[in-house]
Amino acid sequence: MTILQVNVVFGQGSTGKIVADVDAHLREIGHRSIICYGRKEAPFQSDVHKFCTEAEAAVHKLANRAGMLMYGGNLLSTRRLESVIRHEKPDVVHLHCINGYCVNIYRLLHFLAKADIPTVMTHHGEFFYTGNCGHALDCLKFAQADGCISCPYPRQATGALFFDRAHAAWCKMKRAIQSFKPDKLVFTAVSQWVKERASLSPIVAGYPCEVVENGLDTDVFKPTPLSAEALKKWPQNGRKTVLHVTASFSDAPGTFKGGDTIVELARRMPDVNFVIVASYSYVTGNLPDNMLLRGRAGSQRELAELYTAADLTVIASKRETFSMIVAESLCCGTPVVGFKAGGPESIAMPWCTRFVEYSEIDALAVATNDMLSSAIDRKNVSDQARLRYSKEMMADKYMAIYQSLFDN
């Protein structure tokens, strides 16, 4: 069987690593795997194709700001992708995150439906079933029969600076997805919460949806002692340590990942170390003395060392469809606390995690203190998490879906 996966990136970022893990598993068990990606660069590998240039993506983004639909540009890159699909003749196409201004999603979906190619679409974010938003937060306009009319946040939802294009995008996404025959399209959701949200949307109505939780490399994410190099950047005062991992950290109020909440938590708990692991940091004010901006981890192994060294991991996002941070931390044996953000509390093991209502900082502080003082068998946390979140289990579930579509 030949499987062709499409994603915005390959081998990097959460979805890029997931695609790489599925690719490696397919090759290992004797199937042909083809990757098509749109942004950034990936190491050379056979059967890997980049279909969009960075200049094309930049033009698409500018056109979107002027009013073009976010998922409706880039005809040249889309034609390249279609050309690869025609040439390779895959048995199944798997669409992951294909936002990133790299492809015309509507045209691609109509192409796959017309060609009668069995297709899997994964809800890593919410945009397939909202028609616009990667995270719709508390808005449920996408669930209405007539779609997103009078979007309350059109700039955030559609990217356009001057026009509300939410309804037009919702209608185009629905027409594109509904062009598939019922037995030719299967959706997957990375958490039960995402599956329940998707079930509200008329855009994806009538098509099956299965939960396939994200997997990771459990040979890397396991209890791992700090290396001598990592130890140099770790607090040495003997206090308990809370870890916060994010791509970009900011203490500005109202940020999506909740950096200001982490700062407030550190101020309330002066006898606890707070270590921030982030590729980028934007600080607008004075941080408390017990907070360390460590910078990014140099590798996945080093990140596993940091999870292992911490007593607790905390997340404060407004919304997450899954949360690789939760899975990674638990695989390393480290409990997690955070706000209820949708995905995290639905994929976490409840006996070693605690989630409170969003923005309730008092409750988060209590949960943090309680978890820091709890006697939790960290080896048991790691053992159970590494069974649940293994990349092999994820790939096997995807393989079963591919096989079912192929057999049909």
Side-chain angles (χ1 to χ4, degrees):
M1 187 165 30
T2 298
I3 310 297
L4 187 148
Q5 297 184 83
V6 186
N7 195 54
V8 64
V9 292
F10 176 57
Q12 54 188 299
S14 58
T15 59
K17 291 170 187 171
I18 287 166
V19 170
D21 288 339
V22 174
D23 170 70
H25 184 76
L26 290 170
R27 293 169 186 259
E28 183 178 337
I29 62 177
H31 296 283
R32 187 175 179 218
S33 177
I34 302 166
I35 305 297
C36 293
Y37 72 101
R39 302 294 304 275
K40 301 185 179 180
E41 294 297 334
F44 175 78
Q45 181 179 316
S46 62
D47 288 329
V48 174
H49 308 270
K50 183 175 182 182
F51 59 85
C52 180
T53 69
E54 295 303 311
E56 287 169 337
V59 170
H60 183 177
K61 184 175 181 178
L62 286 174
N64 169 231
R65 295 294 184 265
M68 176 185 284
L69 294 180
M70 185 185 298
Y71 307 129
N74 254 338
L75 292 178
L76 286 177
S77 65
T78 308
R79 286 172 180 164
R80 290 191 203 100
L81 176 55
E82 291 171 0
S83 178
V84 173
I85 295 171
R86 286 194 190 94
H87 180 263
E88 301 293 355
K89 298 181 174 61
D91 297 299
V92 177
V93 168
H94 187 168
L95 306 179
H96 291 268
C97 268
I98 52 173
N99 45 7
Y101 304 102
C102 64
V103 66
N104 187 312
I105 294 179
Y106 317 121
R107 177 185 171 107
L108 176 63
L109 293 178
H110 282 296
F111 167 79
L112 293 171
K114 185 176 180 179
D116 220 25
I117 299 175
T119 300
V120 178
M121 296 174 67
T122 293
H123 297 309
H124 291 286
E126 295 196 271
F127 64 92
F128 282 140
Y129 60 80
T130 65
N132 293 278
C133 302
H135 292 289
L137 300 178
D138 295 327
C139 179
L140 289 175
K141 282 183 175 285
F142 71 86
Q144 297 175 353
D146 51 359
C148 299
I149 297 175
S150 299
C151 176
Y153 309 107
R155 288 191 182 184
Q156 295 93 320
T158 69
L161 296 178
F162 310 108
F163 308 101
D164 180 358
R165 304 303 312 280
H167 180 64
W170 187 95
C171 292
K172 290 203 73 166
M173 188 70 81
K174 183 182 179 184
R175 284 195 296 270
I177 287 176
Q178 294 290 329
S179 65
F180 281 88
K181 297 175 183 176
D183 61 341
K184 293 295 184 179
L185 177 61
V186 173
F187 286 97
T188 68
V190 296
S191 66
Q192 182 63 32
W193 177 84
V194 170
K195 179 178 179 178
E196 291 169 2
R197 289 273 285 186
S199 69
L200 303 175
S201 175
I203 292 177
V204 297
Y207 297 97
C209 183
E210 300 185 27
V211 175
V212 181
E213 292 183 351
N214 291 336
L216 47 84
D217 190 343
T218 53
D219 289 331
V220 172
F221 288 100
K222 61 184 179 180
T224 309
L226 278 173
S227 65
E229 188 64 28
L231 190 60
K232 296 176 184 177
K233 296 182 180 181
W234 194 256
Q236 303 296 317
N237 53 22
R239 298 172 177 172
K240 296 278 189 178
T241 300
V242 172
L243 188 71
H244 178 65
V245 179
T246 182
S248 180
F249 175 81
S250 171
D251 64 339
T255 56
F256 191 82
K257 295 293 186 179
D260 56 326
T261 297
I262 306 301
V263 173
E264 177 60 23
L265 199 61
R267 289 199 174 103
R268 295 186 181 203
M269 306 176 67
D271 295 328
V272 175
N273 301 313
F274 283 76
V275 176
I276 312 302
V277 178
S279 299
Y280 307 97
S281 296
Y282 306 92
V283 179
T284 63
N286 295 323
L287 298 180
D289 294 337
N290 60 330
M291 178 171 279
L292 170 66
L293 294 181
R294 189 191 179 280
R296 69 186 296 272
S299 65
Q300 296 285 284
R301 178 180 174 81
E302 184 178 351
L303 184 55
E305 294 175 11
L306 301 178
Y307 282 123
T308 306
D311 297 288
L312 184 67
T313 297
V314 62
I315 63 172
S317 305
K318 289 183 180 179
R319 187 70 78 220
E320 298 283 355
T321 54
F322 181 81
S323 183
M324 293 298 284
I325 291 165
V326 170
E328 291 167 356
S329 181
L330 295 178
C331 284
C332 295
T334 304
V336 178
V337 299
F339 289 140
K340 292 180 180 178
E345 64 269 25
S346 75
I347 63 101
M349 301 183 299
W351 61 275
C352 53
T353 58
R354 187 83 60 81
F355 296 94
V356 302
E357 295 300 325
Y358 179 73
S359 79
E360 293 191 3
I361 182 68
D362 292 340
L364 184 62
V366 170
T368 301
N369 274 313
D370 287 349
M371 197 64 81
L372 286 173
S373 59
S374 297
I376 292 178
D377 184 346
R378 295 184 56 160
K379 182 180 183 303
N380 191 26
V381 173
S382 174
D383 289 345
Q384 292 197 35
R386 291 172 66 221
L387 286 174
R388 175 165 182 171
Y389 306 121
S390 74
K391 64 181 182 180
E392 292 81 11
M393 182 175 292
M394 172 192 68
D396 282 341
K397 289 180 178 178
Y398 279 132
M399 187 63 229
I401 294 171
Y402 302 154
Q403 191 68 55
S404 176
L405 275 170
F406 180 73
D407 290 344
N408 286 340

